[in-house]
Amino acid sequence: MATTHLTTQILRQTPPVCGSCRRATTTGTSSSSPLTITFKTRKESSPKNQKFKWARKLSLVEQSSPSKPTVDVEGLATFLYDDLPHLFDDQGIDRTAYDEQVKFRDPITKHDTISGYLFNISLLKVLFRPLFQLHWVKQTGPYEITTRWTMVMKFMPLPWKPELVFTGTSVMGINPNNGKFCSHVDFWDSIENNEYFSLEGLWDVFRQLRVYKTPDLETPRYQILKRTANYEVRKYEPFIVVETIGEKLSGSNGFNAVAGYIFGKNSTTEKIPMTTPVFTQALDPELSDVSIQIVLPSEKDISSLPDPSQETVKLRKVEGEVAAALKFSGKPTEDVVREKEKALRSNLMKDGLKPRMGCMLARYNDPGRTWSFTMLLDLAINFPFLNKKEMKC
């Protein structure tokens, strides 16, 4: 699997004032999990994507000089591991770690003071209720640290409270004179033009505001490792399903059998709370060997669950896996599902990833009670990672 190359040239400026804000070329290790995945980004070596003029303007120190930095960059990296998780909580980040004139840039926002930077954080807390997940922190230059993160937000002013997801890297420049952060530049994985002001970035925000209606039920837990323009990469926690043989990916044959299990057709007549989504999964290249599944509540243990009353219904524990998922809405006909599977598989292979054969369709809504244009559906394909070396992010 090819390693991501994220390079931007920097200007040489004298005298040295602040660290570089070029895009990072190396990766690091997750603070919460050893899992990492190597991604090949979309056309990042093209001339268009090397023209981060605004990032180069923020770069005021040549990375190769001096050879022996006096700043404890490793200590600052450790500090960020502790400080950044507080970005949106009541404690907040430590403003004393930043220059008063710190320059912040992302594709649609810029601020040139620490006060402006903190105001932006406060505004996001009010409008979006963000959940920030820090994956890793890595020194990428004598006066430069790069972080990788995921931010999941809900836009509270809209009645349906749409979920927005952004993943990417932040390149943080360090002032060699005082050891404080003097620049912070964000790069989103979902767009090509990360230069401020990016219309592509603004559109990426607006297109996530569409109406999706999902029931207030428990769903399998997962962490979004990366969101591109075409799919999300997720790491799922283990979960248990009750399953039986289905007919086709878009079909509902077998649903009554698995639903019957949670409604009491089991060895103890126990009624089990409903969850979402309903899965249909195919494991063969022709997508014809199909099973239909309902996820059981996370507090259940497979050893203590009652046995199904029907021989064709089985219980199975799904181990934690990494999958790429494509969100869409509408009526999931067989032709539509197969078209989505082909598109997802094609995009994964273009990005240098190695998907397994088969796929899984997730349906979150009751089709009899939900308008098709508000239905949320996922089409997912798993990755057959063989060793930790392949699991680089």
Side-chain angles (χ1 to χ4, degrees), residues 48 88 90 111 152 158 165 223 247 261 284 317 325 333 379:
K48 173 183 176 181
F88 296 107
D90 292 336
H111 295 282
V152 181
L158 292 178
V165 178
Q223 182 184 39
E247 180 185 8
Y261 174 83
D284 61 316
K317 182 176 181 180
T333 65
L379 194 287

Side-chain angles (χ1 to χ4, degrees), residues 135-314:
H135 299 302
W136 52 255
V137 180
K138 182 76 174 181
Q139 180 178 353
T140 48
Y143 296 102
E144 176 185 282
I145 293 174
T146 299
T147 67
R148 172 161 278 281
W149 44 264
T150 294
M151 190 159 64
V152 181
M153 308 186 292
K154 288 189 176 181
F155 190 47
M156 306 308 293
L158 292 178
W160 60 94
K161 296 178 176 55
E163 183 178 86
L164 292 82
V165 178
F166 299 92
T167 66
T169 55
S170 297
V171 182
M172 306 182 68
I174 304 166
N175 187 334
N177 293 329
N178 59 19
K180 294 187 176 184
F181 296 109
C182 57
S183 60
H184 177 145
V185 182
D186 283 353
F187 298 89
W188 297 355
D189 296 324
S190 53
I191 62 175
E192 293 183 5
N193 179 21
N194 274 278
E195 184 175 342
Y196 179 85
F197 181 81
S198 172
L199 292 176
E200 184 187 4
L202 183 62
W203 172 243
D204 189 48
V205 173
F206 277 111
R207 73 190 185 103
Q208 295 187 73
L209 298 178
R210 66 177 301 168
V211 179
Y212 284 121
K213 183 179 179 181
T214 56
D216 187 19
L217 297 172
E218 182 181 352
T219 64
R221 297 170 184 165
Y222 61 83
Q223 182 184 39
I224 300 173
L225 301 178
K226 185 169 186 176
R227 174 184 164 266
T228 74
N230 300 307
Y231 56 85
E232 293 178 353
V233 177
R234 304 170 178 175
K235 184 180 186 298
Y236 279 87
E237 296 182 11
F239 57 91
I240 300 170
V241 297
V242 54
E243 65 180 347
T244 192
I245 297 172
E247 180 185 8
K248 55 185 180 179
L249 283 169
S250 62
S252 58
N253 279 16
F255 175 77
N256 288 339
V258 291
Y261 174 83
I262 67 173
F263 294 148
K265 290 184 178 180
N266 53 62
S267 59
T268 62
T269 66
E270 177 186 355
K271 293 185 179 180
I272 300 171
M274 186 67 179
T275 64
T276 191
V278 173
F279 288 124
T280 44
Q281 183 177 23
L283 300 176
D284 61 316
E286 292 77 25
L287 307 182
S288 59
D289 182 12
V290 176
S291 64
I292 187 166
Q293 309 163 2
I294 290 180
V295 180
L296 299 182
S298 58
E299 72 269 12
K300 297 294 182 179
D301 184 87
I302 195 167
S303 62
S304 60
L305 283 166
D307 294 326
S309 299
Q310 296 178 252
E311 291 185 0
T312 56
V313 177
K314 307 293 182 183

Side-chain angles (χ1 to χ4, degrees), residues 106-156:
D106 71 20
I108 60 174
T109 311
K110 71 172 182 176
H111 295 282
D112 294 326
T113 64
I114 183 61
S115 297
Y117 181 37
L118 294 176
F119 171 79
N120 184 65
I121 293 173
S122 299
L123 186 63
L124 290 175
K125 287 171 65 176
V126 172
L127 295 179
F128 292 98
R129 308 284 173 85
L131 173 63
F132 180 81
Q133 300 169 323
L134 181 64
H135 299 302
W136 52 255
V137 180
K138 182 76 174 181
Q139 180 178 353
T140 48
Y143 296 102
E144 176 185 282
I145 293 174
T146 299
T147 67
R148 172 161 278 281
W149 44 264
T150 294
M151 190 159 64
V152 181
M153 308 186 292
K154 288 189 176 181
F155 190 47
M156 306 308 293

